[in-house]
Amino acid sequence: MQPVTACNLFGVRTDRIFARLEQEPARPLTPPPGMSGTRKTLFFATLALYAAIVAAVLTTSRLVRLDWQVMLFRPYKQWPELHAFLDYFVVLGQRGPTAVLVAAWLGWRSWRQRTLRPLLTLGASLLLLNVTVGAAKLGMGREGPHYANRIGANEMFLTGDIFPSGHTANAVVTWGILAYLATTPRARRRLSVVAAVFALGVGTTTVYIGTHWVSDVLLGWASGLLILLALPWSEPLIARVEAYLLSHWYHFREGATPLSARLRTAGARAEPVAARLGAREAYPAPRRGPAFPEAPLAEPALPTALPGDLPARAGEPRTHHPAHARQHAARSERSPVTPAGSRRPYGERTVSRTAPIGPRK
């Protein structure tokens, strides 16, 4: 019987799971993807489609007639059993919930690959989405199907803000960024299929529940695709921002090191300087004066009396105190003390002129 281990518990290879949770080794810096010829062709073709949709709505062409036909058909009344499910499915196009989910995934990718590029790319794409789609919504001011005023009209330049569809454009960008950041061709193909399913599903769901015209969804798909196709142009700026943030992060980590580590680092940096200067110049020996010859000093003789045991009068014999006859410290071990009186012997002191001359009575 095969023993149960952490690697074959319930038939699941947990070693692969834990391997995925570890950080990948540091990779060499690779240049960001450039704008290829195929991508440029797709970008300008999508831009032309964007302009054609806007012109078709402004001129109240057949596209506007199709908008009204689908609106009057009322799909949510034709298939009411789908309404409950699609109310939840359309959340995959809302900016808040999808941004949190994708940011969590890309944050883990950034930690594992030791790079900020996934998060910075997501931030750049959402910034472009808010600026471009928001400006188009406010600039064209189209009313939605539930607030239409006149049958057959394009409902432009009023008080609405539904042209292009924000849910559709957000679904294209948010889920498409996963395919854009994929590291292998196989993962890129799979994530492209997932992003296409979500983008198409969210767009058609908004038409089903009656919150957007068909032309709104078409322009939303074009708006999101334009942002994904234009992302390589923003890669140099993303690389500069990443280098700036990482340099400040490393500087902050060095400044937050303990004081002992900083002192050790400073000492390690000072060692080569001392080696270049030489031990003699870095630590000069003390200079010897005439009182300190080059020959080693002889041991001083033990004094028989302390300096304080001087006789009270000149000519009187010195008193010997055996208790004071102890070994004194060497000259180098004594602490410098400034004497209170004169340094000259007692017999050589100058007698004060005010003192009387002659024997004491």
Side-chain angles (χ1 to χ4, degrees), residues 3-10 12-15 18:
V4 178
T5 62
C7 295
N8 57 10
L9 184 63
F10 302 112
V12 179
R13 294 296 302 272
T14 54
D15 54 343
F18 287 112

Side-chain angles (χ1 to χ4, degrees), residues 105-127:
W105 168 260
L106 295 181
W108 178 73
R109 285 271 309 275
S110 296
W111 174 82
R112 190 167 183 268
Q113 297 177 357
R114 304 180 186 181
T115 176
L116 296 177
R117 179 174 172 261
L119 286 177
L120 292 177
T121 305
L122 175 63
S125 62
L126 293 180
L127 179 62

Side-chain angles (χ1 to χ4, degrees), residues 221-270:
W221 285 332
S223 301
L225 189 57
L226 281 176
I227 294 172
L228 289 179
L229 292 173
L231 275 180
W233 280 327
S234 63
E235 287 288 351
L237 179 60
I238 292 174
R240 287 196 295 268
V241 172
E242 180 184 11
Y244 177 81
L245 294 177
L246 289 179
S247 63
H248 279 66
W249 169 247
Y250 294 146
H251 180 72
F252 171 76
R253 289 184 62 182
E254 290 181 359
T257 53
L259 179 60
S260 58
R262 281 183 283 174
L263 291 178
R264 288 195 299 268
T265 304
R269 293 175 180 174

Side-chain angles (χ1 to χ4, degrees), residues 42-43 45-54 129 132-133 164-165 168-169 172-173 215-230:
L42 291 174
F43 176 81
T46 307
L47 185 62
L49 177 63
Y50 186 99
I53 295 173
V54 174
L129 176 67
T132 57
V133 176
S165 171
T168 306
V172 174
V173 173
S215 56
D216 297 343
V217 174
L218 294 177
L219 196 64
W221 285 332
S223 301
L225 189 57
L226 281 176
I227 294 172
L228 289 179
L229 292 173

Side-chain angles (χ1 to χ4, degrees), residues 200-221:
L200 293 173
V202 170
T204 54
T205 299
T206 58
V207 175
Y208 167 84
I209 60 181
T211 57
H212 281 288
W213 308 97
V214 175
S215 56
D216 297 343
V217 174
L218 294 177
L219 196 64
W221 285 332

Side-chain angles (χ1 to χ4, degrees), residues 29-252:
L29 295 177
T30 56
M35 197 72 171
S36 61
T38 304
R39 186 178 289 269
K40 288 181 180 179
T41 302
L42 291 174
F43 176 81
F44 288 109
T46 307
L47 185 62
L49 177 63
Y50 186 99
I53 295 173
V54 174
V57 174
L58 289 175
T59 57
T60 316
S61 62
R62 295 181 179 179
L63 183 58
V64 177
R65 186 182 306 174
L66 177 64
D67 290 339
W68 279 99
Q69 289 175 353
V70 174
M71 181 264 188
L72 296 175
F73 180 69
R74 302 185 188 279
Y76 59 90
K77 289 187 176 181
Q78 304 298 327
W79 302 282
E81 63 277 5
L82 299 177
H83 202 288
F85 169 74
L86 294 179
D87 279 342
Y88 291 100
F89 180 79
V90 79
V91 178
L92 296 176
Q94 289 185 0
R95 196 159 306 159
T98 55
V100 171
L101 290 175
V102 175
W105 168 260
L106 295 181
W108 178 73
R109 285 271 309 275
S110 296
W111 174 82
R112 190 167 183 268
Q113 297 177 357
R114 304 180 186 181
T115 176
L116 296 177
R117 179 174 172 261
L119 286 177
L120 292 177
T121 305
L122 175 63
S125 62
L126 293 180
L127 179 62
L128 290 174
L129 176 67
N130 292 332
V131 171
T132 57
V133 176
K137 282 175 172 289
L138 297 177
M140 288 182 279
R142 191 181 189 186
E143 293 287 355
H146 294 307
Y147 303 96
N149 298 310
R150 184 164 53 91
I151 296 178
N154 56 14
E155 303 293 331
M156 294 287 288
F157 305 111
L158 298 175
T159 58
D161 57 351
I162 53 97
F163 186 65
S165 171
H167 277 67
T168 306
N170 183 73
V172 174
V173 173
T174 306
W175 301 109
I177 201 70
L178 299 179
Y180 177 81
L181 294 173
T183 55
T184 60
R186 182 180 180 182
R188 186 175 295 109
R189 288 193 296 268
R190 291 183 176 181
L191 292 174
S192 297
V193 173
V194 172
V197 170
F198 284 168
L200 293 173
V202 170
T204 54
T205 299
T206 58
V207 175
Y208 167 84
I209 60 181
T211 57
H212 281 288
W213 308 97
V214 175
S215 56
D216 297 343
V217 174
L218 294 177
L219 196 64
W221 285 332
S223 301
L225 189 57
L226 281 176
I227 294 172
L228 289 179
L229 292 173
L231 275 180
W233 280 327
S234 63
E235 287 288 351
L237 179 60
I238 292 174
R240 287 196 295 268
V241 172
E242 180 184 11
Y244 177 81
L245 294 177
L246 289 179
S247 63
H248 279 66
W249 169 247
Y250 294 146
H251 180 72
F252 171 76

